Structure formats: C-alpha cells, structure tokens
Amino acid sequence: MVYSRPHQVPPLTQERKSLYLQVGQHATGCTAAFIDGRRADLVRESALFLHKLHQMWEQDGVDKADVWTELLRRVAVSDLLHTLNQPPHRKKKNGSTSRPWRVTTSKLP
C-alpha cells in the first residue's frame, strides 16, 4: 500500500458533504445496477462514480497517480496469487494433480 504523510483534514463544508454524498450515491447506484443486470446504468453510474471520486481526490490533494499505482500493485499481487494457485505440470502417482499453494479467496489484497 501507498502510505502518504499525514495531512491536515480540510473543514467539512456543505460543498464537501455534498460531494461525499454524491460519491456514495453513485457507488450504491453501481452496485444496484450490477445486481439488477442493468448494463447501461452500470456503465453510467460507474463513470459518474469515478468522476466524483476524482473530484474528491482533487479536493483533498490526493495525487491520482498514487491511487492508480496502488490499484496496479493490488492487481499484480492478485495475478501472482492466481499463478501460484495453478496446478503444476506434473501429476502424482495416483493421477491427481497437487496444489502446493492453495489460495482460497478471490479478493484483491
């Protein structure tokens, strides 16, 4: 994870509250559209969520490159765990494949 230096939290103005509410509403909209299988709504709500999230980062002085770097690191770790979970190219004497490393989750670290 990327750990940044502690910073002064800006005052919670009405504008910031409104932005936080919008971020939450669009995140909820994404989830609801996904559950209901509404693809067009999922695309629209996802775009709105990312746009509002970007605005929130800007307000708080978060470098978007840091966020994307963190996401890419998590995907790389996930890919590594997936690779480690693949069975080796050889079989045991009884014909079954062994798994020397068993990952039991699909969640990103």
Side-chain angles (χ1 to χ4, degrees):
M1 283 195 225
V2 175
Y3 295 102
S4 61
R5 65 187 188 289
H7 68 283
Q8 189 70 13
V9 177
L12 189 58
T13 62
Q14 188 59 38
E15 180 184 359
R16 289 179 71 82
K17 285 181 187 179
S18 175
L19 180 59
Y20 297 158
L21 181 63
Q22 291 172 38
V23 170
Q25 287 172 336
H26 293 305
T28 302
C30 286
T31 304
F34 175 76
I35 290 170
D36 292 342
R38 294 178 282 125
R39 182 174 167 76
D41 290 343
L42 177 59
V43 170
R44 187 184 77 253
E45 288 294 328
S46 295
L48 288 168
F49 171 71
L50 288 174
H51 176 71
K52 293 297 177 183
L53 190 59
H54 185 261
Q55 287 179 344
M56 191 171 71
W57 296 341
E58 284 180 335
Q59 269 194 8
D60 210 31
V62 174
D63 184 356
K64 63 183 174 187
D66 290 343
V67 175
W68 295 117
T69 298
E70 178 66 20
L71 286 171
L72 290 173
R73 285 180 180 156
R74 289 175 182 235
V75 168
V77 169
S78 176
D79 289 345
L80 176 62
L81 292 174
H82 177 73
T83 300
L84 289 171
N85 196 33
Q86 300 306 307
H89 295 290
R90 57 193 160 101
K91 293 185 176 187
K92 289 183 178 178
K93 291 179 182 175
N94 65 2
S96 66
T97 58
S98 65
R99 290 185 180 258
W101 180 274
R102 180 70 181 158
V103 179
T104 59
T105 181
S106 62
K107 294 179 183 176
L108 289 174

